[in-house]
Amino acid sequence: MGAVLEAVHVVVKRHGPHALTTNRIAEVAGVSVGSLYQYFPDKQAIFTALHDRHVEDVRQAIKQTTDAWASAPLEEFTRELVQRLLDAHAEAADLHEIVSSAIAESTLGFRSALHHTFGRILSRADQAWYSSDETERMLFVLPRMVESLVHGATNPDAHAALSQDGARAEAIRTVMGYVSSFRRSATKRY
């Protein structure tokens, strides 16, 4: 099963996304088409398995960041989280767009995980100086912003005017500017 999923990456890199056929995937994986169909009844099943693998990679990035940075200030936690998510998405950026298009719930699950993660961080006692309105606004904006920027910055076709490193830097700068704006407004109240 793993060889088939790895073969999808190879086919896309060598021949492009339009060359993704079960015959070509089986050939690159070194299995017969019949064997491929024993595990995956169609390409959609392959995309679902790739999506599940990607979701696990994203969960690991979120967990590792939360474990290592949960007690850090929101700005530091957010910077590290966005960086790790960019890294997780960049590993298979060429394939990610294909899988995202094939799996409709992909974006919603990512946003939901981000909402939960930021909710935990914002509920910490040392973040209590954010008003409930500010927390609510951040929980609306941050998951959507991070999801959109991470996917956009790692999509090679989405940022022709910027290098991939430039797109990543702009994604981090944008999120950090948003998060920092709350710190500035809280400082003015005291």
Side-chain angles (χ1 to χ4, degrees):
M1 182 163 119
V4 170
L5 299 180
E6 293 307 316
V8 175
H9 290 277
V10 173
V11 170
V12 170
K13 283 184 192 257
R14 285 185 190 163
H15 308 286
H18 301 297
L20 276 176
T21 65
T22 51
N23 286 335
R24 188 163 293 190
I25 294 168
E27 177 187 323
V28 170
V31 299
S32 70
V33 174
S35 293
L36 182 140
Y37 283 128
Q38 285 180 329
Y39 295 100
F40 304 102
D42 53 25
K43 277 197 301 188
Q44 185 66 32
I46 294 171
F47 293 148
T48 299
L50 286 166
H51 175 261
D52 292 346
R53 180 186 275 185
H54 175 67
V55 166
E56 185 54 34
D57 291 345
V58 168
R59 280 190 184 128
Q60 284 301 318
I62 290 171
K63 182 183 180 331
Q64 289 169 353
T65 306
T66 303
D67 290 350
W69 292 83
S71 61
L74 179 63
E75 290 88 349
E76 292 175 28
F77 171 83
T78 302
R79 179 181 289 110
E80 186 65 24
L81 178 64
V82 172
Q83 185 62 51
R84 288 185 189 211
L85 291 171
L86 285 164
D87 291 345
H89 282 79
E91 288 180 24
D94 51 352
L95 190 57
H96 184 70
E97 287 299 310
I98 299 164
V99 172
S100 292
S101 297
I103 309 297
E105 67 276 1
S106 155
T107 299
L108 295 175
F110 186 31
R111 258 192 241 146
S112 176
L114 289 170
H115 186 275
H116 175 75
T117 301
F118 281 117
R120 284 181 43 210
I121 296 302
L122 288 167
S123 69
R124 292 187 336 227
D126 64 329
Q127 302 296 336
W129 52 269
Y130 291 120
S131 71
S132 60
D133 178 60
E134 288 172 326
T135 299
E136 199 173 304
R137 285 185 290 148
M138 282 194 278
L139 287 176
F140 174 77
V141 174
L142 277 171
R144 287 165 175 79
M145 178 187 283
V146 171
E147 178 270 321
S148 178
L149 289 169
V150 165
H151 285 148
T154 55
N155 178 349
D157 299 328
H159 50 77
L162 295 173
S163 67
Q164 186 166 6
D165 287 342
R168 292 166 64 103
E170 287 303 302
I172 291 170
R173 188 172 76 85
T174 301
V175 173
M176 296 314 300
Y178 177 76
V179 171
S180 295
S181 72
F182 285 90
R183 171 90 50 194
R184 286 189 304 271
S185 69
T187 303
K188 290 177 187 175
R189 285 195 298 260
Y190 292 110

